[in-house]
Amino acid sequence: MTSVRKDNYGKINRDKAVSFTWDNKEYSGYEGDSLASALLANDIKIVGRSFKYHRPRGVMSSGVEESGALVTIGSGSKRDPNVRATTQELYEGLDAKGQNAFPSVNFDFGGINNYLGRFFAAGFYYKTFMGLPPFEWGKGTGIWMVFEKIIRKAAGMGKASREPDPDSYEHSNDFCDVLVVGSGPAGVAAAKETANQNLNVILIEQDSLLGGNNLADRKFDPSLLQKQLESYGVRVMSRTTAFGVYDNTVVGALERVTDHISNPNTSLPRQRFRTIRAKHIILASGALERHIAFNNNDIPGVMTANAARHYLNRYGVLTGKNIVITTNNDSVYQTAIELHEAGSKVTILDSRKDISMDLPKEIELHLETLPFSINGSKKIQSLDVCKAKDKTNKYTIICDQVLVSGGWSPIVNLVSHRGIEPVWNEENLCFVPGDIKENITVVGSARGIWNNDDCVESGIVGANEAMNTLGIDRKEISFPSVGGWSNSIDALYEVKSNKFPSKSFIDFQHDVTAEDVRLAHREGFVSVEHLKRYTTLGMANDQGKMGNIIGLSLMAEQLDKTIPEVGTTVFRPPYTPVPIGALTGRNVDKHFRPLRVTPMHQWNIDHGAKMIDVGLYQRPWYYPENNETLSDSYIREATIVRKTVGICDVTSLGKIAIQGPDATELVNRIYTNPFAKLPIGKARYGIMLRDDGIVMDDGTSWRLGENEYFMTTSTAAAAKVMSWLEELLQTRWTDLKVNVTSVSEQWAGAAIAGPKSRDVLNECVFDPNEITNENLPFMGVLQTKLKDGTPCRVVRISFSGELAYEMYIESDYAHGMMDILWENAQKYDGCLYGLEALGALRVEKGHVTAAELDGRVTIDDAGLGKMASTKKSYIGSAMRKRGVLSADDREMLVGFFPINEKETFNAGTIVCEKNQIEGQGVGRITSVTHSPELGHWIGIGFVKGGLEKWKDITLVGADPVRDKQMEIKVVSPHMIDPEGKRMYA
Amino acid sequence: MIRIKCPYCGERDHSEFTYGSDASIKYPALDAPESEWTQAIFFRENIRGMQKETWHHTNGCRLWLEVERSTITHEIKSVKACHPQIEKITKSKL
Amino acid sequence: MTRFNAWNVFKNGFTGQKNWDRQWRDPEPKKEYDIIVVGGGLHGLATAYYLAKNHNKKNIAVLEKGWIGGGNAGRNTTIVRSNYMMPGNHEFYEHSLKLWENLSHDLNYNVMFSQRAHVSLFHSPSARDDAARRYNIMRLHGTDGELWNLDTLKNNIPHLNYDNARFPILGAAVQKRAGNARHDSAVWGYARAADSLGVDILQNCKVTGVQRSQSNIESLETSRGTIKAKKVGFAVAGHTSVLWQMAGLGNLPIESHKLQAFVTESVKPLLDHVVVYGVGGAHFYISQSDKGSMVFGGDLDWYKSYAQRGNLPIVQDSAEAAMAIMPCLGRIRLLRHWAGVMDMSMDGSFFICKTPLSNLYLNAGWNYGGFKASPASGWYFADLIANEQPHKHVQNHNLERFEKGINIDERGAGPDPKLHG
């Protein structure tokens, strides 16, 4: 046993033992442990395997920067791969396993890769696997894809569940004056100072406990801090990570609500994604300790020095018996003393000379001494050390742990992607945040301030800066200066050895070595972004928190430049990985998008409707009787409409009320056909074009009064047309006195179509003789009331080509309207019909919909050129005939019949000449149906040159993706009652 | 998240709004020649820097707004209603 | 130059990897070049490569303001496909796909093109028919494409949301030859191959001014001095308007918008295809990189921007879209997200064309689709620069197509760049 639990140390709850499993074996820890501290307390050294070489990995830190102890937690649908053991709180029954290893992290066959490391240098895969080895013979991608299969299996880290994530997540929206990120000394000071001024302050802390690096202090009590902050009025959010700063000081944050609880209350979400809109952000995000690259610096037992202090004072775990601390700065000395006091033998290697530190005499201090190479493979046996000036002067120290401190890097990640260039501080060898123009202030060690007192002061100064921007007059801003060590840090990033392959690791998860950086340089990948992409340095789960600076320093050395000259890559959000489930929140499965239903939705379902999604709406598709198929049902429905009468819900059409003295002018400008002289009480079918002269939408507008119109649009374009009218009126035609209001939700509509529709209507309205051909001629509008007195609007309009009407009623009365219509339709052997029958009826008439109007079709192409006025100007009139839009050989709307009447065809079929079944063909079929009236399948679509050109010529419908090909002929799109006698009847 | 100060509704997330287009585009008269329309519809200055642009408060008051915003930093300098009369009213309310 | 092959990888294993050369030189700019391609992204580098290889041109430079591949070449979601249907577009993208198929061999650089199939889901009968139109046109051009019914789809990808989706999945349109590739290696592969044919790749060489006469470009002012050129090609998508205005040429049918991309932590193989869908106003595409990360993207951020960083609403939208189709992704963690600046054109199609200046050529307007296009883009752009005449497949991809009424808009979305997202 080398790492052990110590009595009288730590902030864990010794009264509450917690049992957990690691690789299927049961262990015990305490409440307050992290998984990593519990594993260490049980002296479990190997907890992971690296990505490429499958080298054993132990716990290397105590926080979010961990790139060794990545484990899988849970099983089945709750399996979580790649969890950092260092930040996972222990709970009763926690089930953790090693990953990226077979059969286990202790003994992993993948470890063979370690011996092939000499071949697996950075980017080696770009140089091979293309063809047959060894000379890459062959063509195409076949051989690569065989290799790829093997590579994919070997790559990846943990294994993810394929089952739906069963947990729930939540979104939350927060607002505050000041958001403080981090609860270390600087953050706490800033929060208190701003809250004292009655500002609305939120403090967020990623850890479960407050205190930041104070948690590594033996005497520090985090529970007092929470109470204290709350007494100031600060809203404290722990277990919450600010993962990204976005525009206008909006912060994305992730709260882990139940990840630390063994059997959480099922009403709680697993996690909560918070969008926090702050007026000012104070970043007190701290700093991370760096490693030093030297041979075998990844053997389990290597850890950052500060992590060991955390494990001792926060978790009561002494991580080694015989500890060597290797450093280039002052920060390790307190740790050394405490580890010594806790009972370990401690040796310090300091690369510097002439430093003065008070140390107990039992602690050996080797000045100007560097770590050279660790001996051991699964655990540390000893450390070879050498002298800074003479690397050949080597000796060996027996030890079971090596703690490393290569300096500290302020956490500037959150502002990095905001275009704020970090500035290199030569004295402290770290990047500090550059000039920030937004309302963001960085305080504490995040700005490179090391001492506790200075951090507190910087927090207060930061608070002042925040209050200045919030308009509260405060004092001058003067931050304590960067740094604070009594002896200056030494520029030590790597201790070179001449061994090959190099085992001096920079990125512990991705196995990027110092030699890889030099190879990248040799091959010309000298820009930091190229370095990153070529070697994958900084692309692992820690996103370069651990290794970036070392990588930069090595590249700087190769280029004979300074680190700031080499530059740094941009840290992108999220700061720590965020589950996709949390970002999604409640909008899963059926809640992915809102469901829009018409006011008679339930009525339709109660009357047997099968529904279909149309945009966000669900509409009746067909009304099967006696288990009819879709096809039987729609054919029956369409037949009945043509024979007697049918009722159909058309509520999803867009409806817009247009009111004002210039209402007529507006509709006249947006439709292609003339509206200026439309009489009151009449409706007109109209086409709208886009600015570029292509058809945008069609619909009807009814003139209800001198200054009032009721416009309908297609279902799909309802929102678009509404915004379009608003845009025109508010930005282009601001002189027009007219107002538009969406009334889509206010009116329910039903079509009543068929020869008996008038009879049915008369049975429904108050005055049974009201609706006659004279009273309500084709395109006439009537505002009347139902039998029970409910006001309604009736328009005589036809999509089916039959005598037909649409009735609109206030939405709340929709069921009543459907009841009375249906009751009376049944008297005439009528039916309810859905979208499929509606489609069949309109295809027979050659009426176009979105299937035809695909955004490339002109009004002439659609055969509606007559509706384009030449006497007035309207939106699109200037552009609709530009260039080839008025060419003769354009694709024009036509109808299609199969030559063999038994043949069927599909929309999406390409129309070709018989001897040229290839390329774009000469046209396409856009809508098809079985025509009950004609007794065979029919279609509409487009052919180049239109009906004239192809009349009586047999063409071929090619539908290779559905293995269909058939002979077809081109006919007029108006296949039934072309003169329109029925609808005028 | 860009926060837009709608003169009618107050400061809101940009996700409530729909971006329109470059507000400096002058749409020609409906009967203007094709060439003028071609320029207005298809060609853009595509400013890299502060630009005036339109936003529609789609999930709010439905006003079309003229927003002065940097296309590099997204910083917003000013917001006003596009319609001159609405602008007067909302301004007097502030 | 040392050839890349298994033998040399093996040999270098014993020589400490010491015998690899620079993959491309770092030359000083010459005073004059026959052809300067501005933009060291995939399009610019591919153009230089094909100018040298197909047209035997010498004395070519590629000017890159930062590091090669630093723009959208290194920011995209690496999908390669040719499911385009408009005349010219189809031929162009299919040619590109064919070039991809042999690109590793051609460049002697593993670009890791994985023809793992591009599976485009449909959720309604009308969407199926729309897909059928597109894939029928592909088939009639001899390109592969097929429709999968629900059973076939379930057999191939069992863990999509078949049971609880808001918009039920009905099937998919599939192009099996399509897939994904490694974006950076394509950049480096083109750079190395172009360099070996004598092309000067000038990094950190920002164009700061354009010296021109009435009808000609004479030289370019750069951060590395003035460089004369006989011919100049612009291939700087995202910032085309900036350079165009620097040359005093006014407005273009382009707006710059940003598109975000996302990667997750890496996991063992979870998805073996490229999966794409668009329904309910969402647009989403996902695949898994060879390293194990789920790589995905969605819509534009919906407002004009030159910022290479995204905003939260689209992060949420994309996450929602991901879970809507693969509910197991809820527990997978997002590792990194960023944005690229797109040249959004007014019809969603690109430009490879001549310009008002006789020796300036334009390659721009790639919208969402630049990555897969890059080999063909370089191929046809090189052809245009060398022959001073557009190839018939790109004859309509010019700046005049709008006034001419030529419509090569794959979506039919209309003259609003953001609608082509």
Side-chain angles (χ1 to χ4, degrees), chain C residues 73-88:
Chain C
R75 292 167 189 272
N76 63 83
T77 46
T78 78
I79 298 169
V80 175
R81 59 187 168 89
S82 71
N83 56 346
Y84 283 71
M85 70 175 182
M86 299 305 287

Side-chain angles (χ1 to χ4, degrees), chain C residues 139-216:
Chain C
R139 287 282 286 275
L140 293 172
H141 280 87
T143 302
D144 72 312
E146 57 196 83
L147 296 189
W148 282 358
N149 63 23
L150 195 53
D151 287 338
T152 313
L153 181 61
K154 281 181 178 174
N155 284 337
N156 277 280
I157 317 175
H159 48 307
L160 298 183
N161 194 358
Y162 297 108
D163 301 328
N164 279 312
R166 166 71 178 81
F167 303 101
I169 302 167
L170 301 186
V174 178
Q175 187 177 24
K176 284 188 175 160
R177 283 166 60 239
N180 57 356
R182 172 90 181 99
H183 53 7
D184 289 328
S185 74
V187 173
W188 303 332
Y190 270 119
R192 176 168 165 269
D195 175 89
S196 74
L197 294 173
V199 173
D200 280 0
I201 296 167
L202 305 173
Q203 298 189 91
N204 297 311
C205 186
K206 185 178 179 176
V207 173
T208 53
V210 176
Q211 297 291 336
R212 53 168 275 206
S213 67
Q214 192 61 29
S215 61
N216 250 321

